Amino acid sequence: MTVDRELVPEHAPEHDRSPTEEVSTATVVAYAVAAIVLVGWFLFGWLVLEQGFVDSVGESAGAGFALLLIVSVVGTVRRSRR
């Protein structure tokens, strides 16, 4: 492949092109709510339950990664149905 073919978008294979779908407002709101809930979960564990800073960070990070895994699986299932 030459440099010319890499720079001209019409020569790029269809699977190499990035999707041009815009992110919906509902998705942005859902991510913002999830972030607020995770920060609240961290503060609740740290300040109310007094379980320690590192434990609260770990628990919140674990919950965040679990949410990301769920979003990834749901997105994969939705995309495979198209």
Side-chain angles (χ1 to χ4, degrees):
M1 182 177 285
T2 65
V3 175
D4 295 337
R5 291 188 64 142
E6 291 177 5
L7 294 178
V8 180
E10 61 264 6
H11 293 296
E14 195 63 37
H15 60 82
D16 286 347
R17 296 182 187 170
S18 61
T20 58
E21 300 173 8
E22 292 187 18
V23 179
S24 67
T25 305
T27 302
V28 173
V29 169
Y31 284 146
V33 167
I36 291 169
V37 167
L38 287 174
V39 169
W41 187 256
F42 162 75
L43 291 173
F44 177 75
W46 185 34
L47 300 174
V48 176
L49 298 179
E50 298 177 357
Q51 64 184 12
F53 181 79
V54 175
D55 291 336
S56 295
V57 168
E59 191 171 328
S60 297
F65 286 129
L67 283 174
L68 287 174
L69 179 64
I70 291 168
V71 167
S72 175
V73 169
V74 169
T76 301
V77 169
R78 288 183 66 200
R79 186 162 294 178
S80 70
R81 290 186 179 181
R82 289 184 190 175

